[in-house]
Amino acid sequence: IQQSSKGNYYDTFRGRLMFPIQNLQNKVVAFGGRLIGNEEGPKYLNSPETPIFAKRRELFGLHLAKKYIDRDWPSLILVEGYMDFLALYQHGFRNAVATLGTALGDDHVRIMRRFVEEVIVVYDGDKAGEAASLRGLEVLLEGGMQVKLVNLPQGEDPDDFLNKRGNDAFGELLKGAKDFFDYKLQALLTRYPRQDALGLSKISREMFETLKKVKNTDMLAEYFKRLSRGLQVDEYSL
């Protein structure tokens, strides 16, 4: 319960479907609530932060996902919300985690690095999802992670996709996940005209911002070759 400014007590999560948020030790540290019915308010609401709960340090479902990480190819699937996590888990993709309605941050990356080397980002198939994917990939790269991104059809989220098209189709999407370089370059080529000098400048500048975060020099050399081919610009001038 919480107390209003007028001194009245009220149910913080009224009209919501409840999700217990568990830490890595399987202990419930907070709750999340998804709005149902005709109630007003934000779609998702989490417990307020406390000494035992900080959104920037928790990944929903990691206490389960850690049991299903492939030892030969350790990776996690990162989604945006509880429902997407539950859809993946229910359909057998159990190495999945979700952020708790907050942007991916350095603390999240440090936690994931304890378990995996690679993260596959699966956000909603819309402009907001693409923007969140691009922001997330830079945080992951700075944290020294390998990053791949999945392109969902326009207007679909992972929950929609799995329910409409099934496991095999989603499995194919994961197999075809683009590495961060291809994903970002494709997004920029869609946004700016490569034939235009200003467009070319914008694409290369935005790609450089991401490449600065790559720690491995061998990989960086390879990405410059690929950028040169993709933009049809001399590698040394880049």
Side-chain angles (χ1 to χ4, degrees):
I1 61 171
Q2 289 195 40
Q3 192 173 17
S4 72
S5 55
K6 294 179 181 176
N8 301 318
Y9 291 97
Y10 65 94
D11 174 7
T12 309
F13 293 104
R14 67 181 174 275
R16 292 176 182 274
L17 180 65
M18 299 299 291
F19 297 87
I21 297 168
Q22 289 164 268
N23 65 13
L24 277 169
Q25 291 74 44
N26 292 2
K27 293 179 179 175
V28 177
V29 291
F31 291 93
R34 165 69 161 87
L35 204 61
I36 52 176
N38 298 316
E39 295 285 340
E40 292 183 2
K43 186 175 177 182
Y44 286 98
L45 183 67
N46 292 320
S47 297
E49 300 218 341
T50 67
I52 62 163
F53 172 62
K55 285 190 291 187
R56 70 183 185 280
R57 290 201 301 267
E58 297 294 342
L59 286 159
F60 189 77
L62 184 57
H63 68 292
L64 296 172
K66 67 181 183 178
K67 303 171 194 172
Y68 298 99
I69 291 167
D70 185 332
R71 290 185 181 180
D72 295 327
W73 194 271
S75 66
L76 282 169
I77 304 168
L78 178 67
V79 293
E80 286 187 272
Y82 316 119
M83 301 304 288
D84 293 330
F85 164 83
L86 288 169
L88 262 67
Y89 195 87
Q90 183 175 316
H91 284 83
F93 299 95
R94 295 187 170 172
N95 59 325
V97 294
T99 48
L100 293 166
T102 186
L104 188 71
D106 298 338
D107 288 325
H108 293 134
V109 178
R110 276 193 287 274
I111 293 163
M112 287 191 283
R113 278 196 70 182
R114 290 166 54 186
F115 301 97
V116 299
E117 299 164 8
E118 179 182 87
V119 175
I120 303 170
V121 180
V122 187
Y123 283 175
D124 294 358
D126 55 23
K127 284 190 175 177
E130 182 185 278
S133 294
L134 291 171
R135 282 195 304 273
L137 84 83
E138 302 214 336
V139 176
L140 288 160
L141 285 173
E142 269 192 309
M145 303 284 281
Q146 302 293 322
V147 192
K148 288 185 177 173
L149 301 103
V150 164
N151 259 339
L152 284 171
Q154 185 66 32
E156 289 191 19
D157 61 27
D159 189 15
D160 297 329
F161 187 95
L162 279 160
N163 287 320
K164 284 181 192 171
R165 309 183 193 213
N167 292 22
D168 291 345
F170 191 78
E172 288 303 311
L173 268 187
L174 293 179
K175 281 183 196 169
K178 295 184 174 75
D179 96 345
F180 81 87
F181 178 94
D182 295 324
Y183 183 94
K184 181 159 187 178
L185 184 57
Q186 184 182 323
L188 292 172
L189 287 170
T190 304
R191 201 181 305 164
Y192 305 120
R194 185 182 60 194
Q195 297 77 10
D196 179 86
L198 184 59
L200 195 63
S201 171
K202 282 179 178 289
I203 294 167
S204 54
R205 197 179 310 128
E206 290 200 30
M207 288 301 294
F208 294 155
E209 286 303 311
T210 299
L211 293 176
K212 281 195 294 191
K213 295 172 172 58
V214 177
K215 305 285 194 290
N216 185 308
T217 51
D218 293 333
M219 286 173 64
L220 203 52
E222 174 59 24
Y223 288 137
F224 267 97
K225 286 191 179 73
R226 286 163 63 181
L227 186 59
S228 167
R229 290 196 299 269
L231 298 181
Q232 297 171 9
V233 172
D234 178 70
E235 185 184 341
Y236 293 101
S237 67
L238 284 175

